[in-house]
Amino acid sequence: VATIDRFTDEGRGSGAYFEAWGEARSAIRERYASVLGAQPGEVALTTGTSEGLVRVLTGLDLQPGDEILTAEHEHPGLLGPLSAARRLLGVTVREVRLQSIADAAGPHTRLIACSHVAWTTGELAPPVPEGIPVLLDGAQGVGAVPVDVHALGCDFYAGPGQKWLCGPDGLGMLWIAPDQ
């Protein structure tokens, strides 16, 4: 309440307002990095998991004929962006059993995108082969199970701030491996 009162009096265009928001963003980024086993500079703030997933899909140079491998029974928060990638980019999206995902990669597979923790069964994503970028949907992982993005071997990890971290709606994180 004190913060709201302060910015009501001083206005949202004041230097103090922008300084306070900058400090809050830094603090949130540091906390998210700590639960991901990452450095704060490796973590971007998003509005939620799906935004992070979309940012990765649109940031990759996916072309018609490229394949994205995903798991059966994925959450709509991942299936929606994958469907849009199929429609807008001309990629193929192939679904396989989560535990078979590492063995299912083929010559046209350009991305593996699946849940870190399956929302229907609680299964954990298995290790995947090197050389194929991996995007993990961490909506059921971060805050519920220990996460170390480097040990997971993924290239991208998107997660929410609300669910298991008990933060506010409309805030999330995206980790991108430093070599990406």
Side-chain angles (χ1 to χ4, degrees):
V1 175
T3 301
I4 293 170
D5 290 342
R6 178 178 171 204
F7 293 138
T8 300
D9 293 341
E10 295 177 14
R12 291 183 7 171
S14 70
Y17 175 84
F18 289 105
E19 184 177 312
W21 278 113
E23 290 171 5
R25 282 191 300 271
S26 293
I28 293 166
R29 186 175 283 114
E30 286 178 21
R31 288 191 176 171
Y32 284 169
S34 72
V35 298
L36 295 173
Q39 297 298 312
E42 299 170 348
V43 179
L45 300 182
T46 65
T47 58
T49 307
S50 293
E51 180 192 342
L53 299 170
V54 168
R55 285 179 180 246
V56 171
L57 291 171
T58 58
L60 296 174
D61 186 26
L62 296 170
Q63 302 293 317
D66 288 347
E67 176 183 78
I68 300 173
L69 196 56
T70 193
E72 297 174 326
H73 313 296
E74 280 295 347
H75 189 275
L78 176 56
L79 291 177
L82 291 177
S83 177
R86 178 188 297 131
R87 189 176 66 254
L88 298 172
L89 303 175
V91 300
T92 300
V93 177
R94 186 164 55 104
E95 297 180 11
V96 299
R97 288 184 48 246
L98 180 61
Q99 293 307 312
S100 302
I101 206 161
D103 298 326
H108 298 289
T109 305
R110 298 292 176 258
L111 179 69
I112 294 174
C114 64
S115 294
H116 173 204
V117 177
W119 73 298
T120 54
T121 64
E123 287 179 276
L124 294 174
V128 295
E130 289 187 31
I132 299 173
V134 176
L135 166 59
L136 290 180
D137 175 339
Q140 300 303 325
V142 68
V145 298
V147 176
D148 180 337
V149 290
H150 298 284
L152 286 171
C154 61
D155 298 276
F156 313 98
Y157 194 100
Q162 86 284 11
K163 283 191 182 178
W164 307 111
L165 295 177
C166 301
D169 285 339
L171 194 57
M173 68 204 77
L174 173 61
W175 174 81
I176 299 174
D179 60 351
Q180 285 298 320

